[in-house]
Amino acid sequence: MRIAELSRRSGVAVPTIKFYLREGILPPGERTSPNQARYDDSHVRRLRLVRAMIELGGLSVAAVHDILATVDSPTDDLDKLMGTVSKGLTQAPEEVDEAALDEVVALIEDMGWTCTRDHPAARSLAMVYTAAREIDHPQLIAGMRRYAEACEVIARTDLDYVANFTGIDRVLEGVVVGTVLGDSALAALRKLAQTAESHRRYGPDDPVE
Amino acid sequence: MRIAELSRRSGVAVPTIKFYLREGILPPGERTSPNQARYDDSHVRRLRLVRAMIELGGLSVAAVHDILATVDSPTDDLDKLMGTVSKGLTQAPEEVDEAALDEVVALIEDMGWTCTRDHPAARSLAMVYTAAREIDHPQLIAGMRRYAEACEVIARTDLDYVANFTGIDRVLEGVVVGTVLGDSALAALRKLAQTAESHRRYGPDDPVE
DNA sequence: CGATAGTAGAGAGTATCGCTATCCATTCAG
DNA sequence: CTGAATGGATAGCGATACTCTCTACTATCG
């Protein structure tokens, strides 16, 4: 197919497709002449993936580029690559309070997890600890153990999901999709659950105050 | 204190504070003369809250403005206000596939939750469903039940946290902080749990392929 | 064969966002 | 009294994610 049909089928405007081609987040089509190229279904899928990462995941074009570069580079160390993708999906703060990071590491060990201190997510969590204290909500940190337990369930679901795939590139795509869409889904489900729980406790038939 | 000390104590640059005052996300200080004002600890706290919402929560200044307007408007219907804040923290897509929304509503009913169909989070989740199918990952939807169960645990933790506070404004601040920082914390914990679970399954001593 | 529409590619332009810099008149502090 | 700081307003800046415009083709239909 040519660019017009790619645009029609993916729902992405032609100039935007050209922009993505320039940015290297959409691989070029197969050239048929010096200024003609042909695209296929893989381009439609890739475009939808890109849109999902940007719109639902809130990722920047640059972040999408980095992640797709990892996905597209073939390798055989699944564990390591999953780490790379997972880390690529976290924007790691550069400066963190070491004491807060110590607390995070303590939680990680307490949970029996095997993560390194320099995992971007650990640094990100340390930032949350620092921020919670700064805005005078230190009690928030007390609930982290239960959060972590819930996340264990979630992570098992995630890994089960990824285990369904065969082929390293499909697995990696699964990680990306699972992480990005999963984050959106979890944020939404959490709010729905909060609303439900709030209703249960302080519902219209039993208002507080 | 005056603006210079407010800046020093909050870590926010003076021009930025002026910008926030203009945007109405930081209440004006107490006027001591036609062009002098005095600020206090509440301003320091508010500034840190704003920074946390923008930096950690990734919220826009406009979204922060709307949320703080809700927090600052006194009312007595706790359940309703929590809903408003919670909804304000979700950027609701305007157009969603009704069939996908039907599925979300079915899940909500299945969980025994009491949420309305037009809850922004429900619409947001419907978008995830649609996107998952479009990028050819429909299996992701199958895991939603387990996600929802995990979110129930999380929501109970959240509501327990909020229940600690007395005073409607402090409760609302708790909701905001819990939602914004909680989302960041959960995203980080999820990735740490994933890394740990991945290690357990495909760890360095037992690589796949 | 020619007219028309479509295409690739590149550079410039646009809109938005979140600040940041510069003024100015006023005011406070030593 | 004088220099630094303040409140307030306006304009500018840098990043981001497109979007427009232009050129030089190419495809296709009549």
Side-chain angles (χ1 to χ4, degrees), chain B residues 184-206:
Chain B
S184 286
L186 284 170
L189 282 170
R190 181 178 175 226
K191 286 189 193 90
L192 292 174
Q194 281 177 353
T195 302
E197 183 68 17
S198 165
H199 261 99
R200 200 171 299 141
R201 298 192 189 192
Y202 319 113
D205 298 324
D206 181 19

Side-chain angles (χ1 to χ4, degrees), chain B residues 71-146:
Chain B
V71 171
D72 291 337
S73 67
T75 178
D76 57 353
D77 187 345
L78 181 59
D79 178 51
K80 195 172 154 196
L81 254 188
M82 280 188 60
T84 307
V85 172
S86 173
K87 285 172 189 173
L89 291 166
T90 321
Q91 84 284 34
E94 28 222 58
E95 255 185 67
V96 289
D97 178 32
E98 289 298 319
L101 194 49
D102 285 340
E103 286 180 81
V104 171
V105 170
L107 175 63
I108 288 171
E109 284 171 4
D110 196 36
M111 295 299 295
W113 293 350
T114 48
C115 307
T116 54
R117 184 187 179 83
D118 59 311
H119 194 301
R123 301 173 69 80
S124 175
L125 186 55
M127 278 298 287
V128 173
Y129 278 33
T130 306
R133 294 220 171 81
E134 271 180 358
I135 60 183
D136 204 19
H137 279 257
Q139 313 96 307
L140 198 72
I141 297 167
M144 284 301 145
R145 192 67 167 61
R146 276 168 78 185

